[in-house]
Amino acid sequence: MFTTHHYPHQRPDERIVFYLRRYWFVFFKTMLFYAVLLIFPYLFFLLSETLFPNLLSSSVGFPAIVIGASIYYLFIWLFFFHAFADYYLDMWIVTNHRIINIEQEGLFARVISEQDLQRIQDITSDIHGFFPTLFGYGNVHIQTAGEQQRFTFEQVSHAAEVARNIQTQVRLCQAHGHTLAGANQQAPIERKAVKTGEFVL
């Protein structure tokens, strides 16, 4: 179970610095699209009442319209739930050791990939379009030396600031790694030959 402090497979000395989802306006546009789709059956009902007044009073026509509208709304709900799950369950987690990309693919599949901060080579951000520029959301691209050479934080808020924060964590992680490496290096052992009888130690 994921919380703001704990998540599955967390390392002993690992802590979450921040986590991101796509900017809320991205899903708001999806909500507007489905809200428009909800109006269509009502418009069809008004049109049928004007053009085919006997259809609604028919013992077959009215139940058929009700069943058709019910099936239509059911599919609208399913597609909306799929869009919400894709928006809400897609997540990017930045810890003091690594970045984790959680990508929801459909309702029953999820892909999780990760990369250590020390293997990050380059971080860039870009903002394109009218609404992204107006609201300040965009993409953050992370170039790594691993098998998945490019991580992308898609449509996140304050993309440039996110890129700077990740770069800060990379520098801290690399500095901490160099410190540990220096502390673990032992001074070369000076071996002296001391004669004890016929043996040399």
Side-chain angles (χ1 to χ4, degrees):
M1 179 179 179
F2 171 78
T3 67
T4 56
H5 301 287
H6 302 283
Y7 57 93
H9 309 295
Q10 185 173 359
R11 297 173 183 175
D13 57 342
E14 190 174 23
R15 60 179 177 82
I16 296 176
V17 179
F18 60 88
Y19 66 95
L20 301 166
R21 291 187 177 92
R22 289 197 295 270
Y23 189 53
W24 65 267
F25 185 75
V26 177
F27 186 67
F28 179 73
K29 293 189 296 183
T30 304
M31 290 179 59
L32 289 180
F33 172 74
Y34 283 102
V36 172
L37 293 181
L38 292 177
I39 303 175
F40 284 168
Y42 180 72
L43 296 178
F44 178 78
F45 178 82
L46 294 180
L47 186 63
S48 299
E49 190 176 25
T50 303
L51 299 179
F52 310 102
N54 296 328
L55 182 63
L56 298 179
S57 59
S58 172
S59 60
V60 177
F62 183 75
I65 292 176
V66 172
I67 293 174
S70 300
I71 295 175
Y72 176 83
Y73 280 123
L74 176 62
F75 276 98
I76 291 297
W77 165 250
L78 289 176
F79 284 116
F80 176 79
F81 182 77
H82 178 274
F84 175 77
D86 183 64
Y87 163 78
Y88 188 78
L89 297 179
D90 280 357
M91 184 182 300
W92 300 274
I93 303 173
V94 178
T95 75
N96 57 329
H97 287 175
R98 54 185 171 158
I99 56 174
I100 303 171
N101 177 28
I102 303 175
E103 184 176 355
Q104 187 73 21
E105 296 184 349
L107 296 177
F108 307 104
R110 178 181 296 179
V111 177
I112 301 177
S113 53
E114 63 181 66
Q115 190 59 258
D116 290 338
L117 293 179
Q118 291 184 342
R119 299 180 66 87
I120 292 178
Q121 297 177 337
D122 185 52
I123 304 172
T124 58
S125 63
D126 63 72
I127 298 176
H128 298 293
F130 174 76
F131 286 114
T133 303
L134 181 64
F135 291 101
Y137 66 91
N139 302 324
V140 177
H141 306 285
I142 301 174
Q143 189 73 27
T144 70
E147 294 181 0
Q148 183 174 347
Q149 296 184 353
R150 190 177 178 91
F151 277 61
T152 301
F153 293 14
E154 299 177 355
Q155 300 172 322
V156 295
S157 178
H158 306 294
E161 183 178 350
V162 169
R164 288 194 297 268
N165 290 337
I166 296 176
Q167 187 65 57
T168 299
Q169 293 301 318
V170 170
R171 288 196 296 266
L172 290 175
C173 184
Q174 291 174 346
H176 182 65
H178 290 322
T179 302
L180 290 179
N184 291 332
Q185 287 181 351
Q186 297 181 354
I189 300 175
E190 184 179 358
R191 302 182 64 86
K192 296 182 179 180
V194 180
K195 286 188 177 181
T196 305
E198 297 181 355
F199 299 95
V200 179
L201 300 179

